[in-house]
Amino acid sequence: MTHSQSSRKLLKMIIIALLGTVSLFLFFLNFPLPLLPAYLKIDFSDVPAILAAFVFSPVAGIAVVGIKNILYFATVGSGDPVGVLANFLAGVMFIVPVSFMYHKYRKGVKSIITGLIAGTVVMTIGMVVLNYLVILPTYATVMGWEMSATEKWWSVLVGILPFNVIKGIIVSMLFVPLYLRMRTWIEQKRMNFA
């Protein structure tokens, strides 16, 4: 590996770490949605991960989501590892389709919007299935709750499903204009690290 290659690799790692830190900051700026359970909060922490995925690769986006969740767990000392894992999985399910569409097809607004829609659908379906089969039963066990299949379906259908659809739409509505402003920068950085 040449000096130039090792410098680029180090710079890439620094940028991913910085985006992970920005993602953590955005994670703390969250807000609940009316009519949904208060523990479901919207945040914009996936935006830096999408940027990393666009500039580098889907793996870089996943790394940003991972860094955010590790830092959150370390700083808050959360007694909720299930919630942290759920947030990580939701972020991955949202970011991978978006970055795949961006890298696979023409890197334009149309492919990004298609990717954001695909990411929202994958995240919503994935979180519905994971919550029903794994996350809610794990919470119930840890908290000592009795939860019937009907209660799980009700929680998923009136909480998890609409929340993930709304989150995907809100993050997408924020990301598209941000991408349009940063498009040249993203393309330049992508070429620098290619």
Side-chain angles (χ1 to χ4, degrees), residues 2-4 7 16-17 91 116 119 147 153 157:
T2 67
H3 178 70
S4 173
S7 294
I16 290 170
L116 289 164
M147 185 174 275
W153 269 119
L157 293 178

Side-chain angles (χ1 to χ4, degrees), residues 15-176:
I15 291 170
I16 290 170
L18 286 172
L19 287 171
T21 306
V22 170
S23 184
L24 175 67
F25 176 74
L26 293 173
F27 191 53
F28 284 119
L29 301 176
N30 58 55
F31 55 94
L33 292 171
L35 306 177
L36 290 178
Y39 65 87
L40 296 173
K41 295 180 181 176
I42 298 288
D43 65 80
F44 301 108
S45 63
D46 289 335
V47 171
I50 298 171
L51 289 174
F54 280 15
V55 171
F56 303 114
S57 69
V59 173
I62 292 168
V64 169
V65 176
I67 290 167
K68 170 197 75 176
N69 280 286
I70 290 166
L71 290 174
Y72 176 78
F73 194 76
T75 56
V76 174
S78 173
D80 181 19
V82 178
V84 172
L85 180 61
N87 182 274
F88 173 76
L89 293 172
V92 169
M93 285 187 274
F94 183 63
I95 289 156
V96 169
V98 179
S99 59
F100 174 78
M101 294 299 288
Y102 177 77
H103 287 286
K104 179 83 174 167
Y105 301 103
R106 231 176 104 231
K107 293 162 180 58
V109 176
K110 188 175 180 180
S111 66
I112 291 169
I113 291 172
T114 304
L116 289 164
I117 291 168
T120 301
V121 169
V122 169
M123 175 179 66
T124 300
I125 293 170
M127 291 312 290
V128 162
V129 171
L130 281 174
N131 270 278
Y132 185 79
L133 295 176
V134 179
I135 297 167
L136 289 175
T138 304
Y139 270 127
T141 301
V142 169
M143 302 301 282
W145 300 334
E146 291 290 326
M147 185 174 275
S148 67
T150 304
E151 290 171 319
K152 280 197 296 184
W153 269 119
W154 184 252
S155 296
V156 166
L157 293 178
V158 301
I160 305 301
L161 189 143
F163 169 77
N164 283 288
V165 170
I166 293 166
K167 178 181 178 180
I169 291 169
I170 290 173
V171 171
S172 299
M173 288 173 63
L174 172 75
F175 185 76
V176 171

